Structures are given as C-alpha cells and as structure tokens.
C-alpha cells in the first residue's frame, strides 16, 4: 500500500479571525491612511453594516501593520543617494520619546526608529538600521547635533555631511505629516503603539508616492487600496 505524505500549506495570517480579510485590511488601511481614531474606524465600518468594537480595530492595527510592511519590503524602491535625517519629539504617557526619521531626495521615507534617548548610541543604532542592505548614500544632511558627525565618520566616512541651515527642511516638513496623523490618537499610551503607527505612516507615505512596485497599473487615487489588496493575498 502506497503511503501518502501531507504537504504543509502555509496558513494565512487572517486564519482564525471572525471577520474576513477584506474587512480587516480595510480597517487597517483606513486607520493608517487617514487622521482617524479607532472609534472613527468603528463608526465607518458600522455604516457598512460591520459591527466591530474599536478595541478590535486597535488589535488589528497592531497585529497586521508590521505584516503589511514586511510583505511589501521586497517591492520597495532602492533609496536615493542623498539622505535627510532628523529626530522629532513625541510624548508617550507624559514622557518624551525621540523618533529618528530619514527621507531621501525623492521623498521616500528610508527608516524610522523610536528611542528613549537622543544621543550617539541612538544615532548609531538608527544609521545601522537604515543602511542595512542599502547602498551607502553619497550625502547626508542633518542638524548640528553633536552625535551625528561622530557616527557618520564611523559608519559613512566617504559621505558628505551637510549641516547648512534650512537644508533639512525636507525631513522636517515630513515630521509635520506624521504629527498630524498622531494628533487624533489623543495621547499615546505605549512605545509599541507609537512605533507601529509611525512605521505604518511611513509605509503609507511611500505607497502613495509610488516608491513600491505595487499597484503599478492603478491610478494615483487607487494606489494604496489596490496595494493593500495585493499584500493581503501575500500574508
């Protein structure tokens, strides 16, 4: 008698959830794309006949945002050869946290790092992450924080380091878009929530600006929705 061997079929990350992937994907996309609270998403879903508590929406965002980001990573464009780096301040339960962020000359958000400190160690950690698997930039623009020259001399000795006033306006303006997205949260409770939303916001920005080989045939207005549908099939 011939024995049969079962072939393991990868299970979707949506398996076991009460709601279908289309609903979960829509909720996560709405939350990351627009300045909505979890209760706003709950209300919008209710208008479509989907009754789900806002705490469930929160759990979906926390669980699925990193999965969408990771699934899209192979499709991401290579960053440009000029980087603009800066950190911005965000309060988590009344305590300041520092979000290190970098964009290239094309507006692509290269990386985001949350740190409890603003020092050489945090700057080195950020640049090490941002450079992982990427081509070293020819030019890096920062503010005049003392940590940057030492870290850049160590990790990017061949890159030109620019600290001219106003040269970093590109990334500072991008901070403003992130702050506008954080405002409806009305107080961030955990570092994890801030990290996920900041990373998800960067992901959405890059999708909207066409920095992924995703939804290439879609119109600009449909790009994010089509890309999320494609990615949902991959996770």
């Amino acid at each position: 008698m011939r024995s049969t061997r079962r072939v393991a079929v990868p299970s979707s990350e949506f398996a076991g959830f009460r709601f279908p992937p289309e609903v979960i994907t829509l909720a996560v996309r709405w939350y990351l794309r627009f300045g909505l609270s979890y209760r706003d998403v709950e209300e919008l879903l209710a208008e479509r006949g989907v009754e789900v508590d806002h705490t469930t929406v929160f759990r979906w965002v926390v669980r699925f945002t990193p999965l969408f980001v990771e699934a899209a990573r192979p499709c991401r464009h290579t960053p440009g050869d000029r980087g603009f780096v800066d950190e911005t301040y965000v309060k988590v339960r009344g305590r300041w946290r520092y979000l290190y962020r970098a964009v290239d000359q094309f507006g692509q958000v290269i990386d985001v790092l949350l740190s409890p400190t603003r020092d050489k160690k945090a700057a080195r950690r950020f640049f090490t992450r941002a450079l992982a698997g990427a081509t070293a930039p020819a030019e890096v623009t920062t503010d005049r924080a003392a940590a940057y020259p030492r870290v850049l001399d160590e990790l990017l000795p061949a890159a030109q380091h620019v600290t001219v006033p106003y040269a970093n306006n590109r990334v500072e303006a991008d901070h403003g878009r992130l702050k506008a997205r954080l405002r409806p949260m009305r107080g961030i409770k955990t570092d994890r929530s801030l990290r996920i939303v900041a990373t998800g916001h960067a992901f959405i920005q890059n999708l909207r600006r066409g920095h992924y080989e995703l939804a290439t045939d879609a119109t600009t207005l449909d790009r994010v929705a089509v890309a999320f549908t494609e990615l949902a099939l991959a996770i």
Side-chain angles (χ1 to χ4, degrees):
M1 180 178 179
R2 180 182 299 175
S3 62
T4 60
R5 183 175 61 181
R6 292 185 178 180
V7 177
V9 178
S11 176
S12 167
E13 294 290 345
F14 296 99
F17 283 81
R18 172 188 169 195
F19 291 90
E22 295 79 9
V23 171
I24 298 173
T25 299
L26 180 63
V28 174
R29 174 168 63 82
W30 275 349
Y31 183 78
L32 295 177
R33 169 63 183 89
F34 304 106
L36 301 172
S37 68
Y38 294 114
R39 291 183 184 275
D40 291 332
V41 176
E42 175 186 6
E43 184 175 339
L44 288 170
L45 289 173
E47 291 182 2
R48 294 194 170 201
V50 179
E51 295 186 8
V52 56
D53 191 79
H54 64 278
T55 57
T56 299
V57 177
F58 163 75
R59 287 193 291 269
W60 289 347
V61 170
V62 169
R63 177 176 172 83
F64 285 95
T65 296
L67 297 176
F68 280 116
V69 172
E70 189 59 34
R73 193 176 302 279
C75 306
R76 182 174 160 181
H77 291 174
T78 301
D81 62 355
R82 295 170 58 205
F84 301 81
V85 179
D86 191 34
E87 67 283 339
T88 188
Y89 306 81
V90 181
K91 273 189 176 180
V92 178
R93 280 194 176 275
R95 303 182 69 174
W96 288 112
R97 292 291 185 266
Y98 305 91
L99 270 175
Y100 284 80
R101 304 176 74 247
V103 302
D104 67 10
Q105 70 266 39
F106 305 113
Q108 179 178 181
V109 183
I110 300 170
D111 207 349
V112 179
L113 174 72
L114 177 63
S115 173
T117 59
R118 179 177 180 259
D119 53 20
K120 182 181 177 181
K121 181 179 179 181
R124 182 189 296 111
R125 184 172 161 225
F126 175 70
F127 276 105
T128 300
R129 274 175 44 120
L131 293 170
T135 302
E139 179 181 299
V140 179
T141 300
T142 72
D143 59 22
R144 298 187 178 183
Y148 285 129
R150 292 178 288 173
V151 172
L152 288 172
D153 286 344
E154 176 185 328
L155 300 178
L156 292 169
Q160 180 182 0
H161 184 196
V162 179
T163 57
V164 178
Y166 308 113
N168 228 12
N169 284 355
R170 184 184 298 270
V171 66
E172 290 173 359
D174 210 71
H175 289 334
R177 298 183 183 93
L178 173 61
K179 291 292 186 70
R181 175 61 198 88
L182 296 177
R183 201 167 296 123
M185 297 178 71
R186 300 178 184 177
I188 302 170
K189 303 298 189 299
T190 67
D191 287 354
R192 184 187 184 196
S193 293
L194 175 56
R195 186 180 300 110
I196 287 174
V197 174
T199 302
H201 177 267
F203 171 55
I204 288 288
Q205 290 288 89
N206 286 343
L207 272 179
R208 294 182 65 209
R209 295 165 180 169
H211 295 305
Y212 286 90
E213 288 301 309
L214 290 167
T216 53
D217 295 329
T219 66
T220 302
L221 292 177
D222 291 334
R223 183 180 291 149
V224 173
V226 173
F228 265 75
T229 300
E230 293 178 2
L231 291 170
L233 297 175
I235 64 174

